[in-house]
Amino acid sequence: MKKADKDHLNRLFEIGCIACRVQGTPGTPAEMHHPRAGAGVGQKASHGDAIPLCPAHHRGTHHPAVPSIHLDKTRFIERFGTEQELLILTRHALAKLDEQEGVF
Ligand SMILES: [Zn+2]
């Protein structure tokens, strides 16, 4: 993996689950969700499009901070937004993180 990709992913981990942020419980450790939209068959979406989601929001795994939510995709989108919208939120969160750290 390229260093730039790795740095980007590390910062996504710092943000934590983006759906948890939406519901007001930010800082949940996340794993990376790679939206498939736009990627060809058998081709992974780029790391630049990765969205941080906790296991509960990503795969429906139980998490103490996220009681019993296994939403199907439609309900997930109703509640938290589409992958595109979550990606925009992720980018906003990244920009904020950069501000705080004075990167720019
Ligand atoms: Zn979550």
Side-chain angles (χ1 to χ4, degrees), residues 23-90:
Q23 69 184 14
T25 53
T28 312
E31 55 193 25
M32 289 305 130
H33 171 65
H34 290 92
R36 304 261 161 198
V41 176
Q43 195 186 335
K44 258 207 163 165
S46 83
H47 292 301
D49 290 337
I51 299 169
L53 287 174
C54 68
H57 281 122
H58 196 197
R59 296 180 272 124
T61 309
H62 179 74
H63 185 284
V66 191
S68 71
I69 42 124
H70 188 152
L71 302 175
D72 61 36
K73 193 158 185 176
T74 314
R75 294 191 47 203
F76 185 95
I77 288 171
E78 263 171 29
R79 180 144 181 212
F80 300 108
T82 62
E83 285 176 336
Q84 270 316 313
E85 287 165 342
L86 290 175
L87 186 57
I88 290 166
L89 289 177
T90 302

